[in-house]
Amino acid sequence: GDASRRLVHRMRSEVDAVLVGGGTVRRDDPLLTARAGGGNSPRRVVVTTRPGAIVRNRLFRAGPGEVIVACPAGIPRREAERLRALGARLLPLRTKGGRFRAAELLSALGAEGITSLLVEGGGKTAGWLAAEGRVDRYVLFMAPLLLGEGVRAISGWTCADPLSGVRLSFRAVRRVGKDILLVAEPREGG
């Protein structure tokens, strides 16, 4: 709802950067800006193995905040030049088996002065970071609306059994407008 959206914009204004995966950029075409008065304009980070597929998105044409594209090292020069011409900064990362290592991404962002990061998705990006143990806090909103099957908030990994799952400690559960906000953190020691 509207109250949840306002809270998300305030959360964006309180971090150094907002991060999403390339699939989210291609599908949703988000701006990733903080439209809350008086706050910070976070840098906008896209993690993608297909940087050439996001060059038409409005992220590059609208909104304040630098756009950083974390992509495989050695992308074609033409793609790199096109992204730079759109104002993006490239953050080349090594891949192994076509995947990035979360620790390397976070280290590279830290070297850029990004010490607080809001990961908004998509599900594969959230699942990748969760699977590599790189999530400090989960902030989930639940609307009073059932849609059936759809896009998963966290996907791309599963635990073999409940004993191997990520144990969470609930920090807050509260109403935000008509929605419910749930804040949880991974428990120490699993």
Side-chain angles (χ1 to χ4, degrees):
D2 290 338
S4 294
R5 273 189 286 285
R6 282 191 301 273
L7 180 55
V8 168
H9 283 284
R10 193 171 85 226
M11 291 168 63
R12 287 178 180 174
S13 75
E14 295 171 350
V15 297
D16 295 329
V18 177
L19 181 142
V20 295
T24 295
V25 171
R26 288 187 301 276
R27 184 179 52 253
D28 298 343
D29 199 14
L31 288 175
L32 303 177
T33 57
R35 295 183 288 278
N40 175 40
S41 291
R43 289 187 260 181
R44 300 170 292 164
V45 180
V46 180
V47 179
T48 182
T49 57
R50 299 174 42 209
I54 63 170
V55 296
R56 289 190 172 87
N57 291 84
R58 63 187 183 144
L59 179 73
F60 298 105
R61 292 170 184 77
E66 177 182 36
V67 177
I68 298 172
V69 178
C71 59
I75 64 168
R77 193 177 92 221
R78 189 172 175 171
E79 275 186 36
E81 289 172 357
R82 189 164 183 202
L83 287 161
R84 286 187 187 107
L86 291 169
R89 278 207 37 269
L90 298 184
L91 192 61
L93 301 171
R94 293 174 302 177
T95 59
K96 185 173 184 178
R99 298 193 65 145
F100 301 115
R101 295 210 9 91
E104 185 176 342
L105 169 67
L106 297 175
S107 178
L109 291 174
E112 296 291 324
I114 295 173
T115 60
S116 57
L117 182 66
L118 176 63
V119 178
E120 290 196 11
K124 287 181 184 176
T125 300
W128 164 62
L129 293 167
E132 292 199 22
R134 301 297 175 170
V135 178
D136 295 329
R137 179 178 301 129
Y138 295 88
V139 179
L140 306 166
F141 291 91
M142 184 172 21
L145 176 66
L146 293 176
L147 298 173
E149 290 186 36
V151 177
R152 293 183 175 142
I154 299 175
S155 65
W157 71 286
T158 56
C159 295
D161 60 71
L163 296 176
S164 64
V166 176
R167 301 276 178 212
L168 301 174
S169 294
F170 293 117
R171 299 296 181 211
V173 178
R174 67 181 171 102
R175 187 176 292 276
V176 176
K178 294 180 180 180
D179 300 337
I180 299 294
L181 169 68
L182 173 68
V183 179
E185 297 174 355
R187 278 195 215 158
E188 291 295 320

